[in-house]
Amino acid sequence: MNIIKDKSFGGERPLFGLKQTRLENITITDGESGIKHCEDIEAIGCTFIGKYPFWHVDRSVIKDCLFEPGSRSAIWYSDDMRVENTIINAPKLFREQKNLEIIDTVINDADETFWKIKNLKVRNLKLHDGTYPFMFSEDIFVDGLESDAKYVFQYVKNVEIHHAKITTKDAFWEVENVTIYDSELHGEYLGWHSKNLRLVNCHISGEQPLCYAHDLMLENCTFDAACDRAFEFSTLHADISGSITNIKNPTSGRIVADSIGSVTIDEFVRQPNDCVIEERR
């Protein structure tokens, strides 16, 4: 493998077409498309300042690197990539990719990040600020996520999440085949219009959670006292540990909790209106 180290590059496409190259302590300064249409690239301890530095780069490793705010839309159309121990301060990273692995990484501007990714593996990721991360992605595995970005995981499919703390609103809208284990989910309107959403050992807070859901499943989950109007127009099977403040107009299924504050069934309930709601005995 070729090695390029301790250098700075600027302007248009300075490293276009590289193959089998290790970049050590490289700085991509101004300009655009610093590393483009490349293959088998390792970037170790590098800093990216200019726009669009990693486009159409297949089979790559990015480790101990820094992406400054000017490197927006830095990584698109690049398959078979691993990113490790890296700090990202720029928005709109990671688009239209296959086989992406993220390890021990911090993204401080998560705006429109991880769009249309297929086969994404995440371990110990922190997301801050921004809107709509993970949108339209599928085949995702996450173990360790802290996020305060807005509107996370919308329109995703085939997702497994462990040990997450997500503070947001409108999370997991219109998702399909998503399972979340041992996590905290804080924010309004969780999981609306979802299909096959399963929550296991999770804590939920925020108004009107889990409405319009189809085939929703909860196992040993807990609810914050402020969670009202839960499960409206949803079909579900829910086993709730502790109490839930208010359940409103579930469509069908079964809900069991240690304690139920109130149940609202009014003229707007949808048929078949046969959900069994009961306190555990």
Side-chain angles (χ1 to χ4, degrees), residues 230-232 234 236-238 240 244-266 269 273-281:
F231 310 130
E232 189 171 22
S234 292
L236 72 156
H237 284 82
I240 298 167
I244 183 167
T245 298
N246 175 249
I247 296 167
K248 183 174 183 179
N249 286 342
T251 299
S252 187
R254 184 170 183 263
I255 302 169
V256 179
D258 294 331
S259 174
I260 299 172
S262 65
V263 176
T264 304
I265 304 293
D266 60 26
V269 67
N273 185 22
D274 60 0
C275 187
V276 176
I277 304 171
E278 57 187 3
E279 293 185 343
R280 189 174 286 107
R281 296 179 180 178

Side-chain angles (χ1 to χ4, degrees), residues 75 80 99 103 112 124 185 219 240 246:
I75 301 172
D80 303 305
N99 306 325
I103 302 168
E112 299 181 17
N124 299 331
L185 307 173
E219 301 173 28
I240 298 167
N246 175 249

Side-chain angles (χ1 to χ4, degrees), residues 113-272:
T113 291
F114 299 119
W115 278 24
K116 294 187 177 181
I117 308 297
K118 186 173 177 61
N119 192 23
L120 170 63
K121 295 181 180 179
V122 171
R123 187 168 76 244
N124 299 331
L125 171 65
K126 293 184 179 180
L127 293 184
H128 182 58
D129 277 351
T131 57
Y132 301 107
F134 302 102
M135 197 154 70
F136 307 122
S137 293
E138 57 185 288
D139 302 328
I140 302 170
F141 179 86
V142 175
D143 189 358
L145 170 66
E146 294 182 23
S147 175
D148 64 9
K150 294 180 180 179
Y151 320 126
V152 297
F153 292 105
Q154 294 201 0
Y155 303 97
V156 298
K157 295 181 179 180
N158 309 326
V159 180
E160 181 177 332
I161 297 174
H162 299 257
H163 308 115
K165 183 177 181 181
I166 295 171
T167 303
T168 183
K169 62 182 293 186
D170 300 358
F172 298 98
W173 273 49
E174 299 214 26
V175 303
E176 187 172 347
N177 302 328
V178 173
T179 301
I180 307 171
Y181 298 92
D182 305 308
S183 295
E184 298 179 24
L185 307 173
H186 304 290
E188 300 170 338
Y189 320 128
L190 171 70
W192 283 30
H193 303 284
S194 59
K195 295 180 181 179
N196 300 321
L197 174 60
R198 179 181 173 218
L199 307 180
V200 182
N201 301 328
C202 291
H203 180 71
I204 298 156
S205 67
E207 295 182 355
Q208 300 182 64
L210 303 166
C211 300
Y212 304 93
H214 183 72
D215 290 339
L216 172 68
M217 183 171 291
L218 279 72
E219 301 173 28
N220 192 38
C221 290
T222 58
F223 282 77
D224 187 81
C227 290
D228 65 341
R229 293 166 285 174
F231 310 130
E232 189 171 22
F233 306 139
S234 292
T235 63
L236 72 156
H237 284 82
D239 184 328
I240 298 167
S241 180
S243 63
I244 183 167
T245 298
N246 175 249
I247 296 167
K248 183 174 183 179
N249 286 342
T251 299
S252 187
R254 184 170 183 263
I255 302 169
V256 179
D258 294 331
S259 174
I260 299 172
S262 65
V263 176
T264 304
I265 304 293
D266 60 26
E267 68 273 24
F268 300 108
V269 67
R270 295 180 178 178
Q271 298 304 312

